[in-house]
């Protein structure tokens, strides 16, 4: 049974850093692209970052470029999102997602599984 379990969210001050993890079970993560969406209170859910199965391609939303770094460890079936220089507007629930193939998604139809979400709050 395919499952994504997230960890590492929390409360951080503006300018601080957090790393959220997504551990996959029930399947071999190495065959699939993985990434994160986020949804702020009252907002829509949008793509933040993605990394292809072989790590040869990464995508970042313009709002996080230069501050967030996505990575993966296929041997551990786990992906990570390192978030630096956090801003209050980064406050959201972050959802780990896995695609149906090796490439990052173009549309949400290509996503096969969602994690439970990890709350990130950036506030002083």
């Amino acid at each position: 049974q395919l499952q994504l379990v997230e960890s590492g969210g929390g409360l951080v001050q503006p300018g601080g850093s957090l790393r959220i993890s997504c551990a996959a079970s029930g399947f071999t993560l190495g065959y699939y692209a993985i990434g994160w969406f986020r949804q702020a209170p009252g907002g829509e859910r949008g793509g933040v970052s993605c990394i292809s199965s072989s790590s040869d391609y990464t995508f970042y939303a313009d709002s996080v470029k230069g501050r967030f770094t996505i990575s993966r460890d296929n041997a551990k079936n786990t992906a990570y999102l390192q978030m630096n220089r956090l801003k209050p507007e980064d406050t959201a629930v972050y959802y780990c997602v896995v695609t149906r193939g090796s490439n990052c998604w173009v549309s949400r139809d290509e996503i096969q599984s969602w994690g439970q979400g990890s709350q990130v709050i950036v506030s002083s």
Side-chain angles (χ1 to χ4, degrees), residues 67-86:
R67 299 187 298 119
F68 289 14
T69 302
I70 191 170
S71 62
R72 62 190 296 159
D73 185 338
N74 289 339
K76 294 183 178 179
N77 244 28
T78 302
Y80 309 93
L81 186 66
Q82 177 67 44
M83 304 181 290
N84 297 330
R85 305 201 309 275
L86 282 160

Side-chain angles (χ1 to χ4, degrees), residues 12-16 38 63 67-68 84-91 94 120-123:
V12 63
Q13 291 187 343
R38 71 182 181 185
S63 58
R67 299 187 298 119
F68 289 14
N84 297 330
R85 305 201 309 275
L86 282 160
K87 304 175 181 180
E89 51 263 45
D90 294 318
T91 294
Y94 286 70
V120 172
I121 300 173
V122 185
S123 175

Side-chain angles (χ1 to χ4, degrees), residues 46-59:
V48 175
S49 183
C50 179
I51 185 168
S52 63
S53 62
S54 60
S55 301
D56 60 351
Y57 173 82
T58 55
F59 159 82

